[in-house]
């Protein structure tokens, strides 16, 4: 009788452990945006991270125009962590590959870094996702959660600037009064190269 009780208790404990582990796998990650003011802290904390784009499975967000994704990111997370203006202000110039319109940096569950970037400005669909390579197996769930949050957000107004080195052209990119616009402009006077 005692052996049977031990087996039942062992079976019960194993089932609880298995169901707890399975439930933990399907919990939605907590996605926290890094503010513009916390960029240096983020870069210092994650200086040794090997970044990868793997694990971010293609989904419906990748078919949305980037100009529209930017508006729902604004709604869900506020202003970007970094814009082209921030890069020029910090570096004094635009290096090759740094001609972005915006970047959102995130910390997932308090310890996993991730970035969502727009490398093609308002001219393409989808965005570029990068995360720490050691957490690549968690990235599909992270992207599903991010996608779910963005799909339920209503677009918010924003104004960004983008410089296209291929076209040697500045653009004002915006969502205002219910309209998405990308307008060719001269270099904005408030953006100064050193």
């Amino acid at each position: 009788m005692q052996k049977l009780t031990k087996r039942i208790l062992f079976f019960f404990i194993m089932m609880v452990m298995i169901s707890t582990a399975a439930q933990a796998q399907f919990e939605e990650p907590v996605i926290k945006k890094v503010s513009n003011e916390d960029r240096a802290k983020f870069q210092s904390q994650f200086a040794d991270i090997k970044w990868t784009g793997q694990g971010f499975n293609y989904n419906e967000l990748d078919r949305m125009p980037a100009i529209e994704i930017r508006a729902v990111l604004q709604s869900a997370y506020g202003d970007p962590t970094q814009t082209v203006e921030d890069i020029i202000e910090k570096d004094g110039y635009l290096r090759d590959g740094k001609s972005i319109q915006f970047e959102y940096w995130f910390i997932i569950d308090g310890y996993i870094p991730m970035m969502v970037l727009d490398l093609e400005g308002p001219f393409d669909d989808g965005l570029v996702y990068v995360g720490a390579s050691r957490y690549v197996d968690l990235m599909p769930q992270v992207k599903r959660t991010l996608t779910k949050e963005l799909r339920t957000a209503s677009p918010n107004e924003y104004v960004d600037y983008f410089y296209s080195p291929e076209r040697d052209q500045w653009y004002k990119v915006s969502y205002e009064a219910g309209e998405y616009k990308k307008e060719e402009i001269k270099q904005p006077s408030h953006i100064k190269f050193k």
Side-chain angles (χ1 to χ4, degrees):
M1 182 72 166
Q2 194 175 14
K3 280 187 174 185
L4 180 61
T5 305
K6 283 184 179 179
R7 285 184 180 173
I8 291 172
L9 184 60
F10 177 74
F11 176 75
F12 178 72
I13 291 171
M14 290 303 293
M15 291 307 292
V16 168
M17 289 174 60
I18 290 170
S19 66
T20 303
Q23 184 179 0
Q25 281 183 325
F26 296 106
E27 288 180 14
E28 289 191 351
V30 176
I31 301 173
K32 182 180 179 248
K33 187 197 85 169
V34 175
S35 70
N36 184 283
E37 296 77 27
D38 289 336
R39 288 179 299 163
K41 180 180 172 187
F42 178 92
Q43 288 173 316
S44 174
Q45 182 179 356
F46 300 112
D48 297 330
I49 290 293
K50 291 186 180 7
W51 296 96
T52 183
Q54 292 182 339
F56 295 99
N57 300 337
Y58 188 86
N59 67 20
E60 67 268 20
L61 202 58
D62 299 301
R63 292 187 290 275
M64 270 178 82
I67 194 169
E68 294 177 20
I69 299 171
R70 171 68 178 87
V72 291
L73 278 164
Q74 183 71 36
S75 175
Y77 296 104
D79 292 335
T81 304
Q82 180 166 270
T83 64
V84 70
E85 296 162 85
D86 296 315
I87 293 171
I88 293 170
E89 184 179 305
K90 181 177 145 246
D91 297 343
Y93 60 95
L94 278 175
R95 294 186 303 268
D96 290 340
K98 283 287 193 175
S99 186
I100 52 101
Q101 178 182 324
F102 62 88
E103 297 178 359
Y104 280 83
W105 302 357
F106 298 99
I107 297 179
I108 313 302
D109 290 339
Y111 65 97
I112 302 170
M114 180 180 93
M115 295 185 196
V116 177
L117 337 167
D118 175 21
L119 299 179
E120 298 296 325
F123 301 105
D124 213 352
D125 291 344
L127 300 173
V128 175
Y129 302 84
V130 294
S133 61
R134 69 178 130 185
Y135 301 111
V136 70
D137 57 326
L138 300 175
M139 292 308 131
Q141 179 61 35
V142 170
K143 188 167 179 191
R144 279 192 298 273
T145 299
L146 179 71
T147 300
K148 181 177 152 190
E149 289 178 11
L150 296 182
R151 300 283 291 158
T152 59
S154 298
N156 262 16
E157 293 189 346
Y158 72 90
V159 174
D160 284 341
Y161 296 94
F162 175 70
Y163 176 72
S164 170
E166 298 81 15
R167 297 174 176 92
D168 191 26
Q169 179 64 56
W170 280 94
Y171 295 86
K172 178 182 174 187
V173 184
S174 63
Y175 176 66
E176 296 177 300
E179 244 185 284
Y180 294 99
K181 293 181 185 175
K182 50 183 175 242
E183 307 165 65
E184 289 187 6
I185 60 170
K186 294 183 187 229
Q187 179 178 328
S189 59
H190 69 282
I191 300 178
K192 303 207 182 310
F193 293 97
K194 293 178 185 171

